[in-house]
Structure formats: structure tokens, C-alpha cells
Amino acid sequence: SMKQCFRHTGIDLEVMEKNNERWIQLSQDFYADSLQDLAISAERLRQDPKDPLSPGEAAACRAALGALQWLATQTQVHICARVNLLLTELTVTKTLQTAKEIQSLIKEVRQDPVTLRLWHLPEVTHWQDMTVVTLADQAHANRPQGGSTGGYLTMLGGPQIAQGEAGRLSIVSWRD
């Protein structure tokens, strides 16, 4: 059963409780649903992927990526790297292929947006019981002009995580 729900900076925050478990749920489903298709006709998107984008088409792509960037930094951790790589492609290669990929990503996020859950951890009774886990990775020379990307994912869990045991982790920060 839901306890509280409110919208803050475009994110629906719900305090949830069910079967003796509690969590805070963060979603942008309404925002994802309202994402507009890329302002380039479907007919144009079916043309040769190697075609260069016009200045107007490039501007439409930038606007769409701006809308996606808000999702990527707030709740949609799974699209973060793709949005940033598409921003690079847009400034470097500027082809219709990039526009097609942006439209595909818009459809994907509208169909299946991710909801983050920040779990109440009953095993944490003092802040020093918390275990912070950060995973980091890097891809060398994977950008169009040879640049590299790197990212991290930071999660919080209970003391059992530090002992190598299984337990719940809540994603609290990420970056590409």
C-alpha cells in the first residue's frame, strides 16, 4: 500500500510499504510518456543513414537529446552512456544514422521507463553500518574521434555487503 506521493522537479516520489518492506520509489513515467518524437519526418528517417543532417535537423536532434539527458541524469541510468555518445556523434559525424538512433531511444524510453527503488535496509541501524559500493569502468577510444568514455555507478547497502554476502543495493549516483 502506498503511503505518500508527490512530484518534485519532474520526478514522482512515492514512499511505499508492502509485506513488511519499505522503499522510496522514483519515477519519471509521466515525463517519458510525454517525450515527443524527433522533429524529423519518418520518411526522411528512412533515407540513407549516411546522409548529412541539415542545420534544422541537427537542432531537432539536440533538442531531443536535451529531453533524454534529463531522464538519463535523474532516473534512467541505463540510457546515460547512449545519450552522451549520441551527443558526441551529433557534433562529429552529423548523419541521419544519429537521428535514427535518437528516435529509437525515444521510443524505447517511452515504452519501458525504469523506476528506481531506494530500499529501507532494516540491518542498517547506524550510518556506519552502511556499505558504499562504487563500480567504475572505461572504454578506450570508443568515441568517433578516438576519445574514451568512463562511467561509475554508486550504490548503498547494508553491512553484509562488506562481508561479501548478498543483500539489497540502492543506486544513488551514476555518471557516464
Side-chain angles (χ1 to χ4, degrees):
S1 64
M2 190 175 3
K3 289 170 74 172
Q4 296 173 300
C5 178
F6 63 95
R7 186 168 289 163
H8 179 68
T9 64
I11 300 168
D12 286 327
L13 189 146
E14 297 174 80
V15 179
M16 309 287 289
E17 192 167 327
K18 185 177 180 182
N19 300 335
N20 296 325
E21 290 192 295
R22 293 186 311 169
W23 67 93
I24 295 171
Q25 196 157 284
L26 304 169
S27 89
Q28 287 181 294
D29 291 9
F30 83 98
Y31 182 87
D33 286 343
S34 73
L35 276 181
Q36 300 294 306
D37 281 332
L38 183 59
I40 298 175
S41 73
E43 180 185 14
R44 172 70 172 128
L45 289 174
R46 283 192 295 271
Q47 293 175 8
D48 187 347
K50 295 184 192 82
D51 279 0
L53 294 171
S54 71
E57 290 169 338
C61 287
R62 273 192 300 280
L65 284 172
L68 288 166
Q69 185 78 29
W70 175 244
L71 287 165
T73 58
Q74 300 304 307
T75 59
Q76 306 299 298
V77 62
H78 66 297
I79 68 167
C80 193
R82 286 167 64 195
V83 168
N84 286 317
L85 286 168
L86 286 167
L87 278 165
T88 300
E89 279 182 34
L90 188 58
T91 59
V92 176
T93 54
K94 296 184 180 103
T95 64
L96 202 53
Q97 180 61 36
T98 304
K100 292 165 80 112
E101 289 176 26
I102 292 168
Q103 178 57 35
S104 172
L105 189 51
I106 290 168
K107 283 184 175 175
E108 182 183 317
V109 170
R110 271 197 312 237
Q111 286 170 0
D112 194 19
V114 165
T115 297
L116 291 183
R117 286 185 174 181
L118 306 177
W119 296 98
H120 169 70
L121 303 171
E123 63 273 25
V124 174
T125 57
H126 185 274
W127 69 268
Q128 290 176 324
D129 296 336
M130 191 70 70
T131 301
V132 179
V133 178
T134 297
L135 306 175
D137 197 12
Q138 170 178 329
H140 181 68
N142 67 327
R143 291 192 180 268
Q145 289 186 319
S148 301
T149 55
Y152 70 81
L153 184 65
T154 298
M155 298 160 286
L156 298 178
Q160 75 277 27
I161 302 295
Q163 308 305 317
E165 296 170 24
R168 282 222 164 108
L169 292 169
S170 296
I171 297 173
V172 293
S173 181
W174 62 89
R175 177 163 297 150
D176 166 63

